Each structure stands twice: as structure tokens, then as C-alpha cells.
Amino acid sequence: METKSEIIQVFTFTFLAFILMAMVLILFFYYSRKKIVAQQLETKNLEIAHQKQMLQTVIQTQEAERERIARDLHDGISSKLNVVSLNSHLLKTPNLSDAEIINITNNINDLTSKALENSRQIAHDLFPPVFDKFGLKAGIEELIVEFKSTNKFEVSFSNELNLDLLTKEQQLNFFRIIQELLNNTLKYAEAKQVSIKFIRLSKCNALIYKDDGIGFKNSAIKKGMGLTNIESRVSFLKANYLIKTSPDNGFEINITF
Ligand SMILES: Nc1ncnc2c1ncn2[C@@H]1O[C@H](COP(=O)(O)OP(=O)(O)OP(=O)(O)O)[C@@H](O)[C@H]1O
Ligand SMILES: [Mg+2]
């Protein structure tokens, strides 16, 4: 009789122990699942914040660009056309001497050709015509000539890809990235040599940009609009990028696509 109740007791304890274990397991899974979901949520939130930040930069860049164009139009064209208009009214003045007429027409000619030159320059800055007609490679070559003319550094450029396979929009993104990189090298690097290469790797293609300037401490730098813009262009290109730089060791960026 006693053994029977002992068996029942043992059975009950084992059963309770199982229930307890099952409850502990369920609680454990429940809480770890909750933690994972919280972590996923946090990563998503960070991603959204990052995207917001990039969008903000794009808008800021657009505003800065508009401001610059407005300034160029105002100083380079409107003000000149104002004077042209004034001068052409002057031509209506009665009894002008020949010399005065020549003087006024010379003024008008001079100012209209300057306004024309400025409008060409503004259009060129907005969208380089060589780029439109001859593509990215020619665009980069022209950019290099412009930067070389500052006599600050040498630039070498090599390309083993068929860049014409990229869409116009992709080409424009690469063009703007290289333009900003060259700008930064000019502004900060004190470099002697820049190298720009499009190369084929085993599984993908890469753009490698290098200068031999003063570099910077990557962890300490506050990204400006330039680098943030590059980042959003890289993400538009569905590419990846890696910056290698440290004080006195130049600057290098690898963009794989
Ligand atoms: N090639 C380089 N050599 C040395 N320092 C660099 C180089 N490129 C960038 N930097 C440093 O990184 C910082 C951030 O560059 P970024 O292009 O983002 O902003 P910025 O050039 O200061 O401003 P913006 O591009 O908006 O005119 C620069 O202020 C500079 O200190
Ligand atoms: Mg910059």
C-alpha cells in the first residue's frame, strides 16, 4: 500500500517538475523573443533615422545649389542685362555724338558677351555638356583638366570597364562623387598625386580614388555635406564603400558595385 502512495508521490513530483520546467522554458523563450524583437525594432529605428538624415542632406544640398544658381544668375546675368538695358535706352538720347554712340554700343556688346559667357558657365556647372554628349569617361577627363589647372596636384586616371553600360543617372552619380572627392583633395589634402581607377574585381567592379595628402582620423571626423552626399549616392548606386585614411597617410575610398 505504502509503495503505491510513494509511486503516486514520485509521479506527482515528476509531473510538477516537468510542468515547472516547461513553464521556465516558455518564459525563457518568451523573454528572449521579446528581446530579439526589441533589438530588431531598435535597428529598424536606427536605419530610419539614418535615412532621414540622408534625405535631410539631399534637401540641404539642393537648397545650397539653388542659392548658388540664384547668386550666379543675379550677379552674372541679371545685373549685366540691367546695364545693357540702360545703355540701349541711352542710345535714344537725342544729339549723341558718334563717339558717344560707339562707346555705348561697345558697352552693350561687351556686357552681352559677358552675360552669354556666364550663362554658358552656369549651364555647364549644372550639367557638363561633354558629359551629356560623350559620357562619363569624357566627363571625368574634363574634370581632371580643370583640377590640374590649379597646379596643386597631378591626377592619373585609368579605366578598365565599359562605363557606357551604366545608365545616365548612374554615370552622373559617379561623376558627382569624383567631383566632390577632387574638391575635398583640393580643399584639405595638400596632396601631390591623385589616382582615379575603375577596375574589374573577381566578383564586382570598383572605383578606387586615392590621394597622398594629410588624411584624417576617420573616427573623429564630422562628415559634412560632401561625404554624406557621397554616401547617399553610393546607396543609390546599390554599391558599397570603404574609406581608408589616417593622419599623414593620405585618403582612399573604394566603391564596389
Ligand atoms: N581628401 C581629404 N584629405 C584630408 N581631409 C579630408 C579629405 N576629404 C575630407 N576630409 C575631411 O573630412 C571633412 C568632411 O568632408 P566633407 O566633404 O563631408 O565636408 P566639407 O568638405 O567640410 O564640406 P562640404 O563638402 O559640405 O563643402 C572635411 O572637413 C575634411 O576635414
Ligand atoms: Mg567636401
Side-chain angles (χ1 to χ4, degrees):
M1 230 20 183
E2 224 173 72
T3 46
K4 198 176 173 188
S5 80
E6 263 173 21
I7 288 170
I8 290 172
Q9 237 176 28
V10 168
F11 187 76
T12 320
F13 276 130
T14 324
F15 181 70
L16 282 176
F18 264 119
I19 295 271
L20 207 68
M21 246 163 69
M23 270 165 71
V24 167
L25 273 177
I26 287 168
L27 277 177
F28 174 74
F29 280 120
Y30 174 73
Y31 279 108
S32 57
R33 177 86 203 122
K34 216 169 142 181
K35 216 168 150 185
I36 288 169
V37 170
Q39 270 169 358
Q40 279 172 344
L41 206 70
E42 198 178 338
T43 326
K44 267 274 169 293
N45 280 339
L46 279 175
E47 251 173 47
I48 291 169
H50 184 234
Q51 273 167 1
K52 261 193 193 162
Q53 166 72 37
M54 291 222 284
L55 203 66
Q56 180 79 15
T57 318
V58 171
I59 294 168
Q60 275 174 357
T61 315
Q62 269 181 358
E63 285 304 327
E65 189 70 1
R66 281 183 189 171
E67 217 179 292
R68 193 184 60 74
I69 297 165
R71 209 176 328 117
D72 286 356
L73 282 174
H74 176 269
D75 301 348
I77 298 184
S78 307
S79 61
K80 291 196 172 48
L81 289 181
N82 266 332
V83 187
V84 168
S85 149
L86 248 153
N87 270 286
S88 49
H89 277 102
L90 270 183
L91 276 179
K92 285 190 197 151
T93 324
N95 306 326
L96 285 175
S97 71
D98 283 354
E100 280 170 327
I101 292 178
I102 291 175
N103 192 17
I104 294 171
T105 36
N106 279 349
N107 245 343
I108 292 176
N109 281 341
D110 194 33
L111 286 164
T112 30
S113 58
K114 273 188 189 144
L116 262 173
E117 175 52 36
N118 286 345
S119 74
R120 270 191 45 224
Q121 185 62 45
I122 294 168
H124 182 281
D125 287 349
L126 282 174
F127 198 79
V130 58
F131 182 89
D132 199 26
K133 281 195 204 120
F134 304 108
L136 178 58
K137 190 163 168 280
I140 295 172
E141 276 160 0
E142 195 186 68
L143 205 57
I144 290 173
V145 172
E146 275 169 30
F147 275 89
K148 268 186 173 171
S149 72
T150 62
N151 281 328
K152 296 278 188 202
F153 48 76
E154 275 302 309
V155 186
S156 69
F157 171 50
S158 66
N159 168 37
E160 49 184 63
L161 308 178
N162 182 0
L163 299 174
D164 295 334
L165 293 178
L166 298 168
T167 64
K168 263 267 134 62
E169 214 168 2
Q170 289 171 322
Q171 294 189 30
L172 190 59
N173 274 300
F174 275 115
F175 181 81
R176 295 290 185 217
I177 289 174
I178 293 171
Q179 195 172 30
E180 171 60 21
L181 291 170
L182 282 164
N183 260 323
N184 278 352
T185 297
L186 183 68
K187 275 203 280 188
Y188 311 110
E190 296 164 33
K192 288 274 151 282
Q193 182 69 44
V194 169
S195 120
I196 305 168
K197 284 189 223 163
F198 280 98
I199 57 168
R200 198 183 310 282
L201 300 173
S202 55
K203 288 198 180 107
C204 58
N205 299 320
L207 163 64
I208 298 178
Y209 178 100
K210 262 189 226 180
D211 74 39
D212 62 353
I214 59 171
F216 55 90
K217 195 165 171 220
N218 207 357
S219 55
I221 208 79
K222 193 176 171 317
K223 268 189 228 156
M225 238 191 250
L227 288 178
T228 318
N229 260 330
I230 290 181
E231 194 176 355
S232 63
R233 289 187 190 279
V234 166
S235 100
F236 170 83
L237 287 162
K238 297 197 172 63
N240 291 301
Y241 78 102
L242 177 71
I243 289 177
K244 299 178 198 169
T245 181
S246 60
D248 293 328
N249 278 318
F251 168 89
E252 175 175 343
I253 181 167
N254 296 348
I255 299 174
T256 44
F257 59 101

